Amino acid sequence: MLASIRLRNMSMPNSSEASQPSNLIQDNQIIDNPWQIVAKDAEFSIADASGYILLPLAIWLQHAEQLQNSKTIGVWLDSDESPEPLEAMCQSIPVIAINFPVFADGRGYSYARTLRDYYHYAGDVRAIGDVLHDQMYFYKRCGFSSYLIREDANAEKALAGLNDFSANYQVGSDQSNSKQDIPVFHKR
């Protein structure tokens, strides 16, 4: 399976481990994670690809023509990689994962908003890396739709964190246009 691809730990894309955490939250439930992440420095061959794979942006762009419209190969962005190169083709990508290498790095929030609000990406925007329960609500508000929780984090607590607040003070990328999603200042 993936003979020439060195896999990395999905929750920590820059580590050299190959284990895959299963704490994936998607559609408001905890599910097993079928996606494997390919390391930035891996050699990738489309012929060796099988299963669900997330490729680093540089590798995905090298093979973009062959990978467009693949339902099993997505892309992951590191915190220093803008989604801008994906603008014209993002609709054909099933999953765009955004890495949070450390808690204090918030660039991924902006990337998710860009994908949802400016590129109108309707696929799965996934938070990976240092994904913690106390940030879940904010990930969701910025347009993330799935979350790969760190192995040392409590997935049930993280799932509950998606609903930490009952009122919104700002417009978010997760708006469903229901009355409860209207920001407080518009309810006057």
Side-chain angles (χ1 to χ4, degrees):
M1 179 176 162
L2 306 181
S4 68
I5 301 173
R6 197 170 86 232
L7 299 175
R8 303 270 179 145
N9 182 319
M10 185 95 161
S11 67
M12 300 298 174
N14 295 320
S15 74
S16 60
E17 301 170 19
S19 66
Q20 300 292 309
S22 61
N23 291 336
L24 178 64
I25 295 176
Q26 189 171 24
D27 299 324
N28 289 315
Q29 56 187 324
I30 301 166
I31 62 171
D32 285 334
N33 175 31
W35 292 85
Q36 298 179 40
I37 194 164
V38 175
K40 278 185 160 184
D41 59 353
E43 293 178 23
F44 176 74
S45 168
I46 293 177
D48 292 337
S50 66
Y52 293 93
I53 301 169
L54 289 172
L55 294 174
L57 178 62
I59 294 175
W60 197 95
L61 290 172
Q62 287 173 356
H63 301 279
E65 243 179 67
Q66 299 100 321
L67 297 176
Q68 279 190 338
N69 300 313
S70 169
K71 302 293 182 211
T72 60
I73 299 180
V75 63
W76 69 273
L77 309 174
D78 218 342
S79 63
D80 62 346
E81 298 173 317
S82 165
E84 189 174 330
L86 301 174
E87 179 179 7
M89 57 192 125
C90 67
Q91 298 304 330
S92 68
I93 305 171
V95 177
I96 299 176
I98 300 171
N99 183 34
F100 288 85
V102 294
F103 168 78
D105 191 339
R107 292 175 284 185
Y109 293 102
S110 299
Y111 298 160
R113 293 276 327 234
T114 297
L115 286 165
R116 294 290 191 212
D117 297 346
Y118 297 104
Y119 303 164
H120 307 288
Y121 177 65
D124 184 12
V125 178
R126 180 166 301 168
I128 62 173
D130 198 13
V131 178
L132 301 170
H133 78 276
D134 59 345
Q135 298 297 308
M136 296 297 290
Y137 180 80
F138 304 108
Y139 294 133
K140 180 178 81 170
R141 295 288 294 147
C142 288
F144 285 96
S145 50
S146 66
Y147 321 87
L148 190 64
I149 307 304
R150 288 184 357 192
E151 285 186 339
D152 64 339
N154 181 321
E156 294 291 335
K157 193 172 182 180
L159 180 61
L162 289 171
N163 300 306
D164 273 351
F165 301 99
S166 60
N168 300 317
Y169 288 95
Q170 297 131 338
V171 175
S173 295
D174 66 335
Q175 297 296 292
S176 66
N177 294 325
S178 71
K179 188 163 180 105
Q180 72 183 34
D181 285 335
I182 298 171
V184 171
F185 63 89
H186 282 293
K187 293 181 180 180
R188 295 187 223 180

